[in-house]
Amino acid sequence: MTARPRVAVIGGGIAGLAAALDLAERADVTVFEAKDRLGGPMQTVDFAGTRIDTGPDSFLARRPEMIDLATRLGLGHTLVAPAVGEAAVWSRGALRKMPAGMVLGVPRSMKSLAASGIVSRAGVARAALDKVLPRSKVGADIGVGDLVRRRLGHEVQERLVDPLLGGIHAGRSELLSAAVAAPQLLGAARGARSLMESLPTLPPSSDPVFLTVPSGLGDVVGAALAALDAAGTTIATNTPIGELRFAAGGCDVVSVSGDAIAFDGVVLATPSPVTARLLTRLAPDAASALSTVTYASVVLTLFAYKSDALREPFRLSGFLVPRPEKKLLSAISWSSAKWAHHRGEGTELVRASTGRIDDRRHEDIDDADLVARLHDEIVAAIGLRAPAPIEARVNRWPNALPQFKVDHLTKVAGRSHAAAAQAAFPLALAGSAYEGLGLPACVASGRAAAARVLDALKA
Ligand SMILES: Cc1cc2nc3c(=O)[nH]c(=O)nc-3n(C[C@H](O)[C@H](O)[C@H](O)COP(=O)(O)OP(=O)(O)OC[C@H]3O[C@@H](n4cnc5c(N)ncnc54)[C@H](O)[C@@H]3O)c2cc1C
């Protein structure tokens, strides 16, 4: 092929944008996005006199992909780590600090677990059996919660691992693939008999675990859009794609309104139900694997309080709420403690998370009532003296977080990538539904899809 190939990227979230940035170096690219804005849940809004994220507010710094992307987009020098690392769990009637040095909710020592008070004495005694129970048989994959429950008992699973890992995924930790969500624990389980004693050593505490762009992660999306514009990429927002049609030498991308444009290759970076629908005839095996992925809906509500409503300054990055507490809240991020750039004069900024795969109560609660009920729970948790927040904003993210069941990497990700590679034109899949939903994994997935399509176009 001598002229620059034409490649469509369908879905303008971070995975699609990462794919488009690489593709644009060697192809004429069009990004099709159903909504009126790019970035999916990466969105920064004006709130209480500042700018704050309504979706992701940070990313894992121990993977390079988001740091590399921010650097490539001219934002690398702005990256900052949280000002506070310590967090708590709202467990057994009180906020209790999490044991230091945990790996994905698994404590490093019995002493730190007992001192935290997060589990009962019986729970501590059960966790101690980890050191004497026979080694657990672990295959290629296992539910994270299942693994932890076997070794350390149900209290550690329900009150530490599930709120932490289940919270990130808004899922149930028993069903969550350890290979996707907790490879460190899977590796440890294959080590010595005791899970606790096999935990990987932590990197030096000077290395940040998380980073963010202080002006908001929406700025990564804005910078990606500017870079794509400069590279001559066409950005078609408000353009949901309804069909992909094989055409001689390539593929017709057909919008829901019926417009068809011919492309030589396609990156599909849409959520699995959409991807499955678009691939029904072109790659039926991928469509059938992807149609098994379910999604959790979550709500992220922003609150602003006057600082003098606090009895004493809140110095933790936030707290998690275990399922057995039966609250609407699943987690609180106390942004004004967590981030130096959110320390406002006399104002506290708080991000409250609600909703899990098996907790859809928020869907039946209107915004005003949700704010009131979450506020009451925040008051109960930290003893706030405020009849109401000074400002609140509800951000609903329906069907936003894919659930990775055991064996997801082989049965869904591997199978659908393989089926896409067999399509009659260069096609690759990207996004949070494959190798992980964290932003670095999404960027990696987008870049890998771009490389696969470019390779296929060369062949
Ligand atoms: C509230 C919340 C908090 C989070 N916090 C964090 C965090 O702190 N750190 C972290 O690393 N991750 C976090 N995540 C996860 C992370 O944000 C997501 O996994 C990631 O943004 C998903 O990117 P994506 O490109 O795969 O999908 P998306 O961003 O969902 O992009 C898919 C795009 O496809 C578009 N689309 C759908 N159908 C069509 C169609 N027919 N035609 C064209 N376009 C279509 C959609 O509109 C969407 O823009 C959070 C997620 C949420 C919801």
Side-chain angles (χ1 to χ4, degrees):
M1 192 171 290
T2 45
R4 272 164 73 89
R6 305 208 311 160
V7 179
V9 174
I10 304 174
I14 191 67
L17 293 175
L21 284 164
D22 281 2
L23 288 164
E25 291 175 4
R26 288 168 46 198
D28 289 341
V29 179
T30 301
V31 177
F32 294 99
E33 165 54 48
K35 296 203 175 127
D36 60 0
R37 47 167 281 277
L38 301 172
M42 290 178 81
Q43 183 190 39
T44 309
V45 297
D46 291 322
F47 179 77
T50 185
R51 304 266 303 152
I52 188 164
D53 289 315
T54 63
D57 73 341
S58 60
F59 56 84
L60 207 53
R62 289 180 182 157
R63 289 187 59 148
E65 296 89 347
M66 270 300 288
I67 300 172
D68 292 349
L69 179 65
T71 304
R72 178 178 180 182
L73 296 172
L75 294 167
H77 66 285
T78 71
L79 295 177
V80 292
V84 174
E86 275 189 319
V89 179
W90 191 2
S91 184
R92 306 195 306 122
L95 288 190
R96 301 169 190 275
K97 272 194 204 166
M98 288 204 236
M102 288 190 317
V103 175
L104 301 173
V106 174
R108 213 162 259 286
S109 74
M110 292 307 304
K111 205 171 147 200
S112 66
L113 176 65
S116 74
I118 290 171
V119 304
S120 69
R121 277 191 197 174
V124 175
R126 170 61 187 85
L129 294 182
D130 174 51
K131 300 204 174 159
V132 293
L133 284 171
R135 178 192 291 266
S136 300
K137 282 205 184 104
V138 179
D141 199 3
I142 183 172
V144 186
D146 196 12
L147 168 65
V148 173
R149 186 181 279 250
R150 279 194 214 171
R151 298 300 321 169
L152 297 148
H154 76 274
E155 285 199 47
V156 170
Q157 184 241 322
E158 284 176 354
R159 294 187 176 268
L160 278 165
V161 174
D162 191 80
L164 190 73
L165 263 183
I168 294 168
H169 296 262
R172 290 181 53 191
S173 63
E174 315 86 283
L175 306 180
L176 186 62
S177 158
V180 180
Q184 306 91 315
L185 297 186
L186 195 58
R190 296 198 184 110
R193 182 163 71 177
S194 154
L195 183 62
M196 253 198 258
E197 287 176 353
S198 314
L199 291 177
T201 47
L202 291 174
S205 57
S206 54
D207 289 1
V209 180
F210 295 102
L211 286 171
T212 199
V213 174
S215 55
L217 288 175
D219 278 8
V220 175
V221 178
L225 177 58
L228 289 170
D229 269 343
T233 299
T234 304
I235 306 286
T237 46
N238 292 311
T239 312
I241 298 306
E243 192 185 349
L244 298 183
R245 228 183 268 147
F246 173 60
C251 167
D252 283 345
V253 171
V254 188
S255 70
V256 165
S257 56
D259 300 322
I261 307 179
F263 288 92
D264 302 305
V266 173
V267 168
L268 256 177
T270 41
S272 314
V274 177
T275 311
R277 189 158 30 82
L278 292 173
L279 292 181
T280 308
R281 276 186 296 159
L282 293 173
D285 203 35
S288 108
L290 288 168
S291 63
T292 63
V293 180
T294 53
Y295 278 71
S297 298
V298 292
V299 186
L300 198 138
T301 306
L302 302 173
F303 288 89
Y305 292 104
K306 287 214 171 93
S307 298
D308 58 16
L310 284 166
R311 288 177 209 282
E312 55 189 67
F314 194 85
R315 298 193 198 282
L316 301 172
S317 64
F319 59 87
L320 302 168
V321 188
R323 228 172 262 270
E325 299 293 327
K326 296 196 167 58
K327 307 290 184 200
L328 259 181
L329 276 174
S330 55
I332 283 287
S333 177
W334 205 273
S335 300
S336 297
K338 184 173 173 186
W339 302 111
H341 54 272
H342 282 321
R343 273 182 202 158
E345 278 297 296
T347 307
E348 300 291 316
L349 298 175
V350 181
R351 293 173 16 118
S353 301
T354 324
R356 295 180 167 109
I357 187 75
D358 53 350
D359 179 3
R360 305 180 77 106
R361 285 174 291 169
H362 54 85
E363 290 177 356
D364 300 322
I365 305 175
D366 67 25
D367 285 4
D369 199 18
L370 191 64
V371 166
R373 289 173 65 174
L374 293 174
H375 165 77
D376 286 348
E377 291 189 2
I378 296 170
V379 167
I382 65 163
L384 203 66
R385 289 173 304 202
I390 49 177
E391 200 172 325
R393 177 190 157 120
V394 175
N395 310 279
R396 294 182 188 263
W397 296 111
N399 300 318
L401 298 170
Q403 302 297 299
F404 304 110
K405 297 186 193 111
V406 174
D407 292 333
H408 175 91
L409 286 180
T410 47
K411 289 188 177 160
V412 177
R415 193 175 143 200
S416 45
H417 286 317
Q422 298 301 314
F425 59 92
L427 168 70
L429 312 177
S432 58
Y434 302 92
E435 286 83 24
L437 56 69
L439 296 173
C442 293
V443 170
S445 152
R447 298 196 69 181
R452 285 198 291 274
V453 165
L454 288 171
D455 274 355
L457 284 166
K458 266 193 292 185

